[in-house]
Amino acid sequence: VKDKGRNSYHFFDHTMNETVLNKFALENDLRKAIEQDQLELYFQPKINPLSGDIVGAEVLLRWKHPHRGMVSPVTFIPVAEESGFIVELGAWVLKRACEINREWQSRGMPIVPLAINLSAANFRHHDLLPDIRRTLEDLKLQPNFLVIELTEGILMNDVDETIQTLQALKDMGVYLSVDDFGTGYSSLNYLKRFPLDELKIDRSFVKDIISDPNDAAITAAIIGLAQNLKLSVVAEGVETTEQADFLLRRGCNTMQGYLFAKPMPQEDFEQMLMSGINM
Ligand code: C2E
Ligand code: CA
Ligand code: CA
Ligand code: CA
């Protein structure tokens, strides 16, 4: 796809200027993306490899830009976070994910929890709790079909306030997961005090569990930690059967990764759900 947005700034040949302008253009475009229906939710199944069951799915945002083509969330989420637009974006993802889950239930499809990613600004926003409560009520959706993925960085910032928010979500019945676990700064002491349900082992550890004894040790330790704290544990970025076998032997039996399925559009995931859950 031709990059028209960038061509219009060609008279600036300095790379930094272009980067700044590019980001500014992206930020402007992003504000239009919701109205113009350019955003889409993709779904990546979480699998139990022993039974072949789909036990849930992570919701991942996709942006089909009219000129740039698919823009990765790795590019536009940081732009949205910096501009504050992430607040609207997060609210949109929450609502869409819950609407889709409601639709599936109405159609009598197999029901799986959907996990959404929250940025710090989403988690700290005063509308978060009322928004979630209202969305679940309006759609008559069971709260345990909503999983919230938060990073360690978000959790460790202002611990007392974090505990309050987590407890309120927990009281609502929402399922709480720590994303990219092990990559951020987390105090094991606080981890114990947070009312959490799940740890997600980051892909960076899973990637080399077969070749790197340190990554293998860290991964095994995270699984042990989760078990001792009575938390579920999910491995992300599982790409090979060797990795899956290692994880299973260590007691982690929920996995997400290209070995099973890449993130996919709604219709494809629906077909997967309908084709009798087993993969
Ligand atoms: P994440 O939350 O850690 O999501 C997992 C990322 O790993 C996804 O990238 C997924 O496509 C990718 N992935 C899954 N399995 C594999 C695998 O086996 N191998 C490899 N190489 N990659 C795998 P994606 O979709 O590009 O999203 C990137 C990041 O963007 C996410 O990382 C998350 O931090 C952020 N993001 C995506 N959607 C949202 C959203 O709605 N809100 C917020 N705040 N952040 C989002
Ligand atoms: Ca995530
Ligand atoms: Ca992750
Ligand atoms: Ca990650």
Side-chain angles (χ1 to χ4, degrees):
V1 180
K2 204 160 178 291
D3 199 345
K4 285 185 192 147
R6 221 141 121 187
N7 284 345
S8 44
Y9 299 117
H10 255 165
F11 50 91
F12 286 95
D13 55 14
H14 195 276
T15 322
M16 200 189 80
N17 280 340
E18 187 170 337
T19 309
V20 169
L21 286 170
N22 203 27
K23 215 172 76 182
F24 185 68
L26 206 64
E27 190 183 311
N28 271 333
D29 289 354
L30 195 51
R31 293 186 180 277
K32 291 182 225 142
I34 291 186
E35 303 157 29
Q36 299 182 356
D37 217 20
Q38 296 163 4
L39 296 176
E40 196 178 328
L41 301 186
Y42 269 43
F43 301 83
Q44 188 182 32
K46 296 182 184 177
I47 305 288
N48 176 343
L50 294 175
S51 64
D53 287 342
I54 299 173
V55 295
E58 177 171 5
V59 172
L60 294 156
L61 197 52
R62 294 291 178 266
W63 181 15
K64 287 181 181 152
H65 190 284
H67 308 304
R68 294 167 198 258
M70 275 283 196
V71 186
S72 164
V74 177
T75 307
F76 72 80
I77 292 288
V79 173
E81 285 175 338
E82 237 177 277
S83 67
F85 188 63
I86 191 70
V87 171
E88 266 175 88
L89 211 54
W92 185 84
V93 170
L94 166 74
K95 187 156 169 283
R96 272 309 288 145
C98 289
E99 282 171 358
I100 289 171
N101 213 347
R102 171 74 267 168
E103 189 192 316
W104 289 342
Q105 298 194 28
S106 306
R107 281 158 55 189
M109 295 186 24
I111 300 160
V112 295
L114 293 182
I116 61 169
N117 292 284
L118 290 190
S119 297
N122 301 127
F123 186 70
R124 304 263 169 236
H125 200 274
H126 51 80
D127 280 344
L128 178 75
L129 295 169
D131 259 9
I132 291 180
R133 192 176 285 114
R134 193 169 354 95
T135 305
L136 293 172
E137 274 173 15
D138 286 353
L139 295 166
K140 300 193 175 54
L141 201 66
Q142 296 290 321
N144 57 337
F145 294 123
L146 180 63
V147 180
I148 290 182
E149 295 192 5
L150 296 155
T151 58
E152 287 164 284
I154 299 178
L155 294 176
M156 295 307 150
N157 200 323
D158 197 340
V159 167
D160 289 332
E161 195 196 301
T162 296
I163 292 177
Q164 273 190 13
T165 308
L166 291 176
Q167 193 58 53
L169 288 166
K170 184 91 181 163
D171 291 343
M172 244 187 259
V174 173
Y175 197 85
L176 301 170
S177 175
V178 186
D179 204 358
D180 304 342
F181 188 76
T183 59
Y185 168 84
S186 70
S187 156
L188 300 181
N189 182 40
Y190 284 128
L191 198 59
K192 188 181 66 181
R193 288 176 54 202
F194 291 147
L196 299 165
D197 299 294
E198 176 184 284
L199 303 181
K200 286 187 89 174
I201 307 169
D202 190 62
R203 186 171 81 227
S204 60
F205 300 119
V206 174
K207 200 167 136 271
D208 295 323
I209 37 177
I210 303 306
S211 57
D212 184 338
N214 291 329
D215 285 342
I218 292 169
T219 300
I222 295 175
I223 295 169
L225 179 69
Q227 287 168 341
N228 286 325
L229 291 172
K230 307 240 178 332
L231 301 172
S232 306
V233 62
V234 180
E236 66 176 20
V238 180
E239 293 185 352
T240 69
T241 48
E242 288 78 15
Q243 292 166 344
D245 287 344
F246 175 95
L247 291 160
L248 280 175
R249 275 201 309 277
R250 299 299 175 149
C252 170
N253 49 25
T254 307
M255 301 181 197
Q256 190 183 335
Y258 294 173
L259 173 64
F260 308 102
K262 290 192 171 179
M264 62 188 92
Q266 184 182 340
E267 309 79 63
D268 295 355
F269 185 64
E270 286 175 3
Q271 264 174 17
M272 204 171 189
L273 276 177
M274 297 295 272
S275 65
I277 282 217
N278 269 335
M279 297 198 56

